[in-house]
Amino acid sequence: DTEVTQTPKHLVMGMTNKKSLKCEQHMGHRAMYWYKQKAKKPPELMFVYSYEKLSINESVPSRFSPECPNSSLLNLHLHALQPEDSALYLCASSQERSGQGGSTQYFGPGTRLLVL
Amino acid sequence: LAKTTQPISMDSYEGQEVNITCSHNNIATNDYITWYQQFPSQGPRFIIQGYKTKVTNEVASLFIPADRKSSTLSLPRVSLSDTAVYYCLVAVYGQNFVFGPGTRLSVLP
């Protein structure tokens, strides 16, 4: 099973709302990732968790707050977003951090976020 | 970071073989080369990964020359459903994937 699930599939929120995106994998992977993808652009890395600890934050604004409650779950908490934050948010996981022995990242279907 | 360069777009017809070449001149010794396919509004899907020479699976082949400064993804007998964006990534040791702009493949009937 190489499935990564994400909920919700779609989310519409106002600029004053607080919402959360959820990601789950049951492949025993120890690295999990959040990416942001704008239309017709490649995915951009936001955060990396390795063994449940935040290891990379790619200078993401504090209105995005990641959380890794356990090795299978990854959340992205959203607060006071701007319309330009509207995008497809992708979660991925790999056995270990990519680059070490050729680990492969498996992606979820994404959450389509619209900020009004 | 090892940067990759791919053609921005390619057109093909159903039933043809498609070859997409990716350049990665400063690939490091420990780097692997990975290709993903992405359909609109979906997450990227792993296609194939290799280190050197040739790798083949049920959907594609990956050719990597001895100097590893480039790689070619080969899709045999494409169909309309292969229309997608294809990304070549070089896994940099100790770091993470950086997606380039990818190649937008259009398969025509």
Side-chain angles (χ1 to χ4, degrees):
Chain A
D1 181 13
T2 57
E3 187 177 26
V4 176
T5 59
Q6 291 187 243
T7 55
K9 290 190 185 330
H10 303 275
L11 179 62
V12 180
M13 60 185 292
M15 290 189 285
T16 59
N17 292 157
K18 286 185 180 181
K19 297 287 184 182
S20 296
L21 309 184
K22 297 186 185 302
C23 173
E24 191 167 2
Q25 57 87 14
H26 295 288
M27 295 177 277
H29 290 174
R30 303 313 301 267
M32 297 186 76
Y33 311 77
W34 280 115
Y35 288 84
K36 172 183 177 179
Q37 186 174 27
K38 303 282 277 185
K40 297 191 184 302
K41 297 291 187 182
E44 295 178 10
L45 184 66
M46 300 175 70
F47 301 105
V48 180
Y49 273 83
S50 181
Y51 291 86
E52 301 162 48
K53 294 190 186 305
L54 183 63
S55 60
I56 290 184
N57 175 343
E58 292 285 354
S59 303
V60 179
S62 60
R63 57 185 184 269
F64 295 91
S65 176
E67 177 196 20
C68 189
N70 60 57
S71 59
S72 300
L73 293 174
L74 186 66
N75 298 322
L76 186 62
H77 303 297
L78 314 173
H79 174 55
L81 294 194
Q82 303 297 310
E84 60 264 29
D85 296 321
S86 298
L88 180 68
Y89 287 83
L90 295 162
C91 174
S93 71
S94 66
Q95 284 202 344
E96 53 191 57
R97 286 184 62 190
S98 293
Q100 298 176 6
S103 288
T104 301
Q105 290 189 19
Y106 294 92
F107 285 81
T111 293
R112 174 70 62 189
L113 173 67
L114 177 61
V115 182
L116 301 176
Chain B
L1 292 176
K3 183 179 177 181
T4 60
T5 305
Q6 303 172 233
I8 293 298
S9 64
M10 294 181 68
D11 290 338
S12 181
Y13 290 94
E14 280 191 292
Q16 290 189 332
E17 178 185 73
V18 171
N19 296 308
I20 306 174
T21 296
C22 178
S23 296
H24 26 81
N25 290 323
N26 58 341
I27 188 169
T29 303
N30 292 328
D31 290 345
Y32 278 69
I33 300 153
T34 309
W35 286 81
Y36 285 85
Q37 175 193 56
Q38 187 177 28
F39 299 112
S41 296
Q42 294 186 25
R45 182 176 76 100
F46 170 82
I47 301 176
I48 198 165
Q49 184 179 77
Y51 183 80
K52 62 180 179 181
T53 63
K54 177 183 175 182
V55 180
T56 298
N57 62 22
E58 63 274 12
V59 297
S61 295
L62 179 60
F63 299 92
I64 305 169
D67 66 5
R68 304 201 326 123
K69 293 184 182 300
S70 67
S71 58
T72 299
L73 174 72
S74 181
L75 305 172
R77 297 180 298 282
V78 294
S79 65
L80 296 176
S81 62
D82 293 316
T83 293
V85 179
Y86 292 83
Y87 293 102
C88 160
L89 294 104
V90 173
V92 181
Y93 185 79
Q95 299 188 37
N96 298 284
F97 283 167
V98 176
F99 282 81
T103 297
R104 193 169 298 272
L105 173 65
S106 297
V107 180
L108 308 172

